[in-house]
Each structure stands twice: as structure tokens, then as C-alpha cells.
């Protein structure tokens, strides 16, 4: 039952991400719901699985963002490893902590990517959208979608 | 899901490897100013020292093989090159001789005297006992040398005449300073005629000049043509001293050729075939083209 629910949630997240990506210009919303999947995998899975999923998600993000291949892969892998290491010391019952965890980690990950783009891509400056707006919005979306205690129970994050 | 028990060091190493692979992936998309990707440049920087070292090693070994093992043909090659060098040296010497000949002939032409078929000869031997008596030239009757032909230096001044023996490739020249023979001559300024006789020294004696006629030091002496051997007006020498005798006077003449090189000489036909008409001026280059 829980496994089935997890797959449904995964499908919902992917569909939502596609929809957000498609209409991001219209609604001016920039979310990274796939990152929520990565956070979940990082806090719940073992080291190798985290690393593999982070790499896949990072490279997928690179492909979808049409940017230099490997930049988000690097950033997501580094942050997934950090989340995997600190996950044992975090209280996931507290939604504020979850929000901060998602926002700060995404902010750091995007900052690393931004740094790469700054040095590699001519004319690419500091992107507030990447460093600030997207992490906050993604954190809020994470709380909204996963903050419910029932969903937390399904996802086994207590 | 439970977490595997992996040591922190191992995790760090694996993460670093994973991140490094991502960096490699990034570097393949970064194009530098040299139109190459960062990855290609990095690979080049890393590989090139090994490549250079390998290339130098191969070159070194190849050179050693060439120098010490594949030397079986070097002796033959050395012999061929030595022969070539010798041939080239001979060619250089031959060309030098040709240059000297041409220079000599150009000098002769400047003297404004025209000879019929003059033969340019080189002196190959001088009589060691009487150096101012006779000498041997390098051409004989194969080259058209005949007895009694006149011998001049490059300035057209009288040196001597051809005498026996004449071989196919050599001939003997009796100098006007020889004590044998003589030359009919007169003073150029007043045509006072006499007879030049050599003394095997650097001066000649001008005999049979009447005592009453004045002869000055520095007067030029030329051939008279009355001996039927030497044509007239060939410069012989210059008066250096005079001495009064009974009825005649003894005049010392220093031949012109004494103070000049006799390495290269001209042999010309004698009295009958030679003419001393001045060479007409050469037409200018523009006229020649026309």
C-alpha cells in the first residue's frame, strides 16, 4: 500500500514539474519539485542509492535546463551527499525545519551551479531566481505537498 | 529502508570521484580561446609530456640504429662523396684557370691591338741556369705554334719569339734578353735604327746607333720590322743609360716585360700575318640590339 502511494506521489510530482516547466513563463513560478524527490531519497536511502539518484536527477535537470551538462549533476550530487549525512540529526516532524532544509540545500545547490555558469558562460551573472526565489518556492511547495502528517506517515519520515 | 554501514572516508572518496566525473563532463562543454574544449586541453596538458618523452625516445633509438647498425653502406657512400669532392675541386680549379684566361684576354683586348688568331699560352718552365734567356710554354704545334712566331705579354709588349724545339704540347720561347739572336729596333721619337741584343740579364743593349745622334734616358724603343721576323712598332723597352763609343754609342734598354708578369703570354703570327690596325669601337648595346 505504502509502496503504491509512493509511486503515485512520484508520478504526481513529475507531472506537476512538467506542468510547472511548461507554464513557468505564464505563471512566473519557478519550482523544482524533482528536487523534493531527491531530498526524500537522500534522507531515506543508503549512500549508494542517494549518489545514483542524485546523479541521474542532476543530469536530467541539466538536460531539461538546456545548460552545460554536468553542472547540476555536480551540484545535486554534492548536496545529496550532505543531506544523506545529516539526515539522522534532523527532526522531520517540524515543518519549519523541513522547509529550511529544502530551501537552504536547494539554495546551496543552485549557488554552486550559478558559480559554474558565472565562470563558464560569458555574461551569466548572479541569478536571484536560482539562488533565492526557486528555493523558497520549492520549500513552500514541499511543506504544502508533504507537510501533512498522513503523507509523512506514508513516506515514513517520522 | 536501512542505511548501509560504510566508513566516512570511503564515502568521501566515492563522492569525490563522482564529483570529479561531473567536472569532467562539464569540461567537455567548456570551449576555450584556442577553440578546444577544456577537457581536450587538460588531456593535452597531461598527455603531451608523455607523448614528447615517447617521441624523443623513439627518435633517439632510431638515430642510434641509424648511426651504429645501419652503417654498412657508409664506406661506399664516403668513397662516393670523396670522389665527388675531388671532382668538384678539379672543376673549381678548371674554372679558376678559365677566369684567369678570360681576364687576361680582356686585358689584351683593351690594348687596342688586333692579332690574327692569337694563342693564349701559359709559361710552365723557366731555364734555371739562365732565367732571362728562355722559357717553356704549355702549347706546341698541336695548338698551331710554329717557329719564329712572336711572343707578347698581356700589354702587347715584346717578350721573345718561338724557337726549336717545338713538341706537340710545349714550345720554347727565346726571350729578347737572351744573348742569342737579336731584334731590329729604333727609337720611337726619331726612328733612329739599331739592333737590340740581350745579355741574359734584365737589360738589353741597343747597338749600332751613330754616336752623333742624341739618345735620351727614358726614350721608348720599338721594333723596326727590318729583321723580317718581328713586325714594326711593337714596344720593346725604355732607354735607361747611354755610353759614347768610337763612332757609335752604347745604349742600355730595359725591356717592358721585365717588370711585368710573364705567367700568361700571347703567341701571334709573325710579320706577314699580323696587323696593328686599331680595333674599331664596339657598337653600343642599343645598336647591337638593333
Amino acid at each position: 500500500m505504502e509502496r503504491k502511494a509512493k509511486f503515485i506521489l512520484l508520478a504526481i510530482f513529475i507531472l506537476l514539474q512538467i506542468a510547472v516547466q511548461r507554464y513557468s513563463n505564464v505563471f512566473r513560478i519557478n519550482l523544482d519539485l524533482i528536487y523534493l524527490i531527491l531530498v526524500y531519497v537522500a534522507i531515506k536511502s543508503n549512500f549508494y542509492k542517494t549518489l545514483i539518484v542524485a546523479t541521474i536527477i542532476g543530469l536530467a535537470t541539466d538536460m531539461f535546463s538546456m545548460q552545460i551538462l554536468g553542472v547540476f549533476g555536480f551540484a545535486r550530487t554534492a548536496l545529496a551527499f550532505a543531506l544523506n549525512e545529516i539526515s539522522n540529526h534532523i527532526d522531520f516532524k517540524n515543518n519549519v525545519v523541513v522547509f529550511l532544509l529544502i530551501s537552504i540545500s536547494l539554495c546551496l545547490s543552485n549557488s554552486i551551479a550559478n558559480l559554474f555558469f558565472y565562470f563558464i558562460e560569458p555574461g551569466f551573472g548572479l541569478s536571484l531566481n536560482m539562488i533565492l526565489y526557486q528555493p523558497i518556492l520549492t520549500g513552500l511547495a514541499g511543506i504544502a505537498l508533504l507537510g501533512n502528517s498522513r503523507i509523512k506517515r506514508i513516506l515514513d519520515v517520522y | 529502508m536501512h542505511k548501509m554501514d560504510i566508513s566516512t572516508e570511503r564515502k568521501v572518496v566515492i563522492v569525490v570521484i563522482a564529483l570529479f566525473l561531473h567536472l569532467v563532463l562539464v569540461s567537455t562543454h567548456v570551449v576555450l580561446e584556442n577553440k578546444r574544449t577544456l577537457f581536450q586541453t587538460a588531456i593535452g596538458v597531461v598527455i603531451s609530456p608523455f607523448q614528447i618523452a615517447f617521441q624523443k625516445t623513439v627518435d633517439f633509438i632510431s638515430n642510434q640504429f641509424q648511426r651504429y647498425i645501419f652503417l654498412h653502406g657508409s664506406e661506399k657512400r664516403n668513397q662516393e662523396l670523396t670522389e665527388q669532392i675531388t671532382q668538384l675541386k678539379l672543376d673549381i680549379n678548371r674554372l679558376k684557370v678559365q677566369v684567369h684566361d678570360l681576364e687576361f684576354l680582356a686585358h689584351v683586348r683593351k690594348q687596342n691591338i688586333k692579332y690574327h688568331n692569337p694563342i693564349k699560352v701559359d709559361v710552365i718552365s723557366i731555364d734555371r741556369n739562365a732565367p732571362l734567356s728562355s722559357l717553356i710554354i704549355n702549347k706546341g704545334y698541336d695548338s698551331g705554334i710554329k717557329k719564329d712566331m712572336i711572343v707578347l705579354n698581356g700589354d702587347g709588349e715584346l717578350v721573345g719569339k718561338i724557337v726549336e724545339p717545338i713538341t706537340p704540347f710545349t714550345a720554347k720561347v727565346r726571350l729578347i734578353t737572351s744573348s742569342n739572336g737579336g731584334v731590329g729596333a729604333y727609337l720611337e721619337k726619331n726612328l733612329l735604327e739599331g739592333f737590340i741584343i740581350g745579355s741574359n740579364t734584365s737589360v738589353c743593349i741597343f747597338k749600332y746607333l751613330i754616336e752623333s745622334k742624341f739618345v735620351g734616358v727614358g726614350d721608348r724603343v720599338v721594333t723596326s720590322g727590318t729583321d723580317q721576323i718581328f713586325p714594326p712598332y711593337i714596344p720593346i723597352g725604355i732607354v735607361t743609360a747611354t755610353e759614347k763609343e768610337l763612332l757609335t754609342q752604347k745604349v742600355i734598354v730595359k725591356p717592358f716585360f721585365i717588370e711585368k708578369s710573364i705567367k700568361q703570354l700571347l703567341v701571334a703570327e709573325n710579320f706577314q700575318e699580323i696587323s696593328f690596325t686599331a680595333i674599331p669601337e664596339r657598337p653600343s648595346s642599343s645598336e647591337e640590339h638593333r
Side-chain angles (χ1 to χ4, degrees):
Chain A
M1 177 63 188
E2 284 182 0
R3 191 178 178 85
K4 198 173 178 181
K6 283 179 189 175
F7 273 111
I8 290 168
L9 275 174
L10 180 66
I12 289 170
F13 273 45
I14 291 172
L15 288 173
L16 273 174
Q17 179 63 42
I18 292 169
V20 166
Q21 197 76 26
R22 189 179 179 106
Y23 297 104
S24 62
N25 291 335
V26 179
F27 299 110
R28 299 197 176 276
I29 296 170
N30 194 358
L31 289 175
D32 190 354
L33 297 176
I34 304 297
Y35 185 74
L36 296 178
I37 299 170
L38 177 61
V39 172
Y40 174 72
V41 172
I43 60 178
K44 290 303 293 180
S45 305
N46 60 42
F47 170 74
Y48 291 113
K49 195 173 177 181
T50 302
L51 213 60
I52 291 167
V53 171
T55 301
I56 291 169
I57 287 177
L59 292 177
T61 309
D62 281 321
M63 290 181 72
F64 287 123
S65 65
M66 307 292 280
Q67 295 286 357
I68 297 165
L69 205 62
V71 170
F72 279 108
F74 182 93
R76 295 294 189 259
T77 304
L79 262 298
F81 170 70
L83 286 175
N84 184 256
E85 285 297 304
I86 63 170
S87 60
N88 289 335
H89 313 289
I90 293 174
D91 178 17
F92 291 104
K93 292 176 186 170
N94 192 338
N95 280 340
V96 177
V97 174
V98 174
F99 168 75
L100 289 175
L101 182 76
I102 294 170
S103 300
I104 291 171
S105 63
L106 186 57
C107 174
L108 285 173
S109 180
N110 282 355
S111 298
I112 293 169
N114 200 161
L115 203 64
F116 271 105
F117 292 140
Y118 176 77
F119 285 114
I120 295 170
E121 296 250 327
F124 199 104
L126 186 70
S127 171
L128 282 178
N129 191 27
M130 278 180 70
I131 295 172
L132 193 61
Y133 302 145
Q134 190 187 48
I136 292 172
L137 284 174
T138 305
L140 290 173
I143 297 301
L145 294 171
L146 306 171
N148 188 289
S149 57
R150 192 175 170 186
I151 293 177
K152 282 184 182 174
R153 199 176 301 121
I154 293 171
L155 294 175
D156 191 24
V157 290
Y158 275 108
Chain B
M1 283 182 263
H2 60 89
K3 293 190 177 181
M4 292 171 69
D5 192 17
I6 306 169
S7 68
T8 310
E9 291 81 7
R10 191 172 179 182
K11 284 181 183 177
V12 170
V13 170
I14 291 169
V15 168
V16 167
I17 291 170
L19 294 178
F20 178 74
L21 291 176
H22 283 296
L23 284 177
V24 170
L25 198 60
V26 171
S27 69
T28 59
H29 291 77
V30 178
V31 180
L32 300 178
E33 288 179 355
N34 58 7
K35 307 291 181 191
R36 288 183 170 190
T37 64
L38 180 62
F39 182 72
Q40 287 173 324
T41 307
I43 291 293
V45 169
V46 173
I47 296 293
S48 59
F50 296 102
Q51 192 179 2
I52 291 167
F54 178 75
Q55 186 65 46
K56 286 194 172 181
T57 307
V58 169
D59 288 347
F60 176 76
I61 293 169
S62 301
N63 286 335
Q64 297 309 311
F65 268 86
Q66 289 288 342
R67 288 179 63 185
Y68 295 110
I69 294 179
F70 301 122
L71 279 178
H72 62 273
S74 63
E75 188 179 350
K76 188 180 176 185
R77 180 72 180 147
N78 183 45
Q79 195 174 353
E80 288 173 359
L81 289 173
T82 307
E83 285 173 6
Q84 283 182 10
I85 289 169
T86 307
Q87 187 59 45
L88 287 172
K89 283 180 178 175
L90 288 173
D91 287 347
I92 288 169
N93 286 335
R94 186 171 51 77
L95 289 172
K96 279 181 180 175
V97 169
Q98 284 184 1
V99 167
H100 286 146
D101 289 355
L102 289 172
E103 285 175 355
F104 177 74
L105 291 173
H107 180 72
V108 169
R109 187 173 175 78
K110 281 182 187 173
Q111 304 311 310
N112 219 18
I113 300 170
K114 186 179 179 182
Y115 300 98
H116 289 289
N117 301 320
I119 302 165
K120 184 254 165 194
V121 297
D122 289 337
V123 174
I124 57 174
S125 169
I126 294 175
D127 189 343
R128 292 179 65 184
N129 297 319
L132 290 167
S133 174
S134 63
L135 47 84
I136 306 294
I137 57 174
N138 66 343
K139 285 181 181 166
Y141 60 75
D142 266 10
S143 303
I145 303 292
K146 290 181 285 190
K147 186 184 175 188
D148 286 339
M149 290 179 87
I150 61 168
V151 181
L152 309 169
N153 68 5
D155 291 331
E157 295 155 350
L158 190 62
V159 174
K161 70 171 186 175
I162 301 293
V163 294
E164 297 287 353
I166 304 172
T167 70
F169 305 111
T170 61
K172 186 175 182 180
V173 176
R174 186 163 72 205
L175 301 175
I176 58 172
T177 49
S178 169
S179 57
N180 296 324
V183 183
Y186 49 46
L187 293 171
E188 191 178 43
K189 71 173 184 181
N190 56 11
L191 302 183
L192 188 61
E193 191 165 356
F195 194 69
I196 292 275
I197 296 174
S199 59
N200 289 344
T201 63
S202 62
V203 293
C204 297
I205 300 165
F206 197 3
K207 286 189 171 180
Y208 310 125
L209 292 175
I210 299 168
E211 186 269 338
S212 59
K213 294 289 183 181
F214 175 75
V215 177
V217 173
D219 289 349
R220 282 167 58 88
V221 180
V222 297
T223 55
S224 64
T226 52
D227 55 13
Q228 298 294 302
I229 296 173
F230 297 100
Y233 307 116
I234 299 175
I236 295 175
I238 195 164
V239 175
T240 56
T242 59
E243 186 182 334
K244 300 287 184 183
E245 292 178 338
L246 184 66
L247 296 177
T248 61
Q249 54 183 323
K250 183 182 174 185
V251 175
I252 307 298
V253 174
K254 185 172 189 178
F256 289 120
F257 82 87
I258 287 292
E259 293 180 342
K260 296 177 181 174
S261 169
I262 55 169
K263 174 66 183 159
Q264 293 171 313
L265 299 172
L266 273 183
V267 178
E269 293 288 351
N270 59 5
F271 187 65
Q272 281 75 21
E273 284 81 18
I274 197 163
S275 79
F276 284 83
T277 54
I279 296 173
E281 288 292 321
R282 291 189 70 192
S284 63
S285 58
S286 58
E287 288 173 338
E288 281 179 346
H289 286 304
R290 253 182 267 138

